[in-house]
Amino acid sequence: MQNKLILRGLLAGALGGLLAFVFARIFAEPLTQDAIDYESGRDEAQMALDKAAGMASEHEGHEIFSRAVQGNLGIGLGMVLFGVAMGLLFAVTYTVLLGRVGRIRARVLAVLVAGAGFLSLYLVPFLKYPANPPAIGHEATIGARTGLYLTMVVASVLFLVAAVVAGKRLAPRLGNWNATLVAGAGFVVLSALLMALLPSLGSLASNVAEYGPQTSETPLPLKAPDGQIVYPGFPADTLVGFRLYSVLAQVILWATIALVFGPLAERVLDRGRAVTVEA
């Protein structure tokens, strides 16, 4: 039965990744292209300033894969594989919790596990370190940004596990509803404290000379030595739209996993009970 549930989790994750890719291809990909165009234009403006100042400019090499391949096959394959990985993680978690969290229907448990996965693996880390399109962030901060984001993901998962364990232990004394509220409040407080302790992306960007002192990770307008703006700052509409569609794509992924896996798991469990009763 466990193998059947895991297989259905893989299928649900693959479908969720495919639907998320279709959504991202329609809505997020144009904004990604806008960000790439901005980055290219800014680099050209910077090269012109460097040339006027008598400084040597660096030329980037050609891309191995074209933009068309990256925006279609590349992102599509990546999101489907990501969906498969999340579906596997979801199915394993579902199988572990099955029968250990009280009498919860298979579909309801699927929704709860998917919601927990979306909350801990994406939404909470996103609130501190949101998704960024190209041109946001500097090469010098990639390592720091990656490490901080992974720290936020791991801590969020641990906080959620601790909240579930605490809620289960408090339930006999406080009741299920009150225990859930207390455990949820603890999760929120711990997550908020960690967010306050970890540095922001803006503080990392402020250490990059070309960004200058600022509280945001978005590039400021590029100025000539005389103070004249030669290239505008990164458009806020592109950044906000990209982040919104990134969240919605994850919502589609996790909602698909829950809605597809729930009925499939229910059938597997019903058949298992029927076989047990017959035996």
Side-chain angles (χ1 to χ4, degrees), residues 59-105:
H59 297 275
E60 296 185 356
H62 295 286
E63 296 179 340
I64 299 177
F65 298 102
S66 66
R67 176 64 192 140
V69 173
Q70 295 177 13
N72 293 282
L73 179 61
I75 188 176
L77 183 60
M79 294 193 72
V80 170
L81 292 178
F82 177 78
V84 169
M86 294 301 99
L88 175 61
L89 179 61
F90 166 88
V92 171
T93 305
Y94 183 93
T95 304
V96 171
L97 294 178
L98 191 62
R100 294 180 173 87
V101 290
R103 296 182 178 180
I104 301 178
R105 291 186 57 190

Side-chain angles (χ1 to χ4, degrees), residues 129-165:
Y129 302 116
N132 288 326
I136 302 297
H138 194 273
E139 294 180 357
T141 65
I142 289 179
R145 285 185 280 131
T146 302
L148 290 171
Y149 184 81
L150 291 178
T151 299
M152 196 69 211
V153 171
V154 173
S156 178
V157 172
L158 293 178
F159 293 161
L160 184 61
V161 171
V164 173
V165 173

Side-chain angles (χ1 to χ4, degrees), residues 119-120 124-125 127-128 152 155-160 184-198:
L119 177 67
S120 61
V124 172
L127 294 176
K128 178 64 178 181
M152 196 69 211
S156 178
V157 172
L158 293 178
F159 293 161
L160 184 61
F187 174 79
V188 172
V189 170
L190 290 176
S191 299
L193 288 176
L194 182 62
M195 290 182 188
L197 292 175
L198 293 178

Side-chain angles (χ1 to χ4, degrees), residues 33-81:
Q33 186 61 51
D34 292 342
I36 292 175
D37 294 339
Y38 171 88
E39 188 175 34
S40 299
R42 185 183 179 94
D43 289 342
E44 292 178 359
Q46 184 65 57
M47 290 173 60
L49 290 177
D50 293 342
K51 184 177 181 180
M55 300 171 56
S57 58
E58 298 181 359
H59 297 275
E60 296 185 356
H62 295 286
E63 296 179 340
I64 299 177
F65 298 102
S66 66
R67 176 64 192 140
V69 173
Q70 295 177 13
N72 293 282
L73 179 61
I75 188 176
L77 183 60
M79 294 193 72
V80 170
L81 292 178

Side-chain angles (χ1 to χ4, degrees), residues 212-235:
Q214 59 186 82
T215 58
S216 172
E217 72 272 25
T218 55
L220 297 174
L222 184 61
K223 297 182 179 181
D226 58 0
Q228 181 181 1
I229 296 178
V230 297
Y231 204 79
F234 192 86

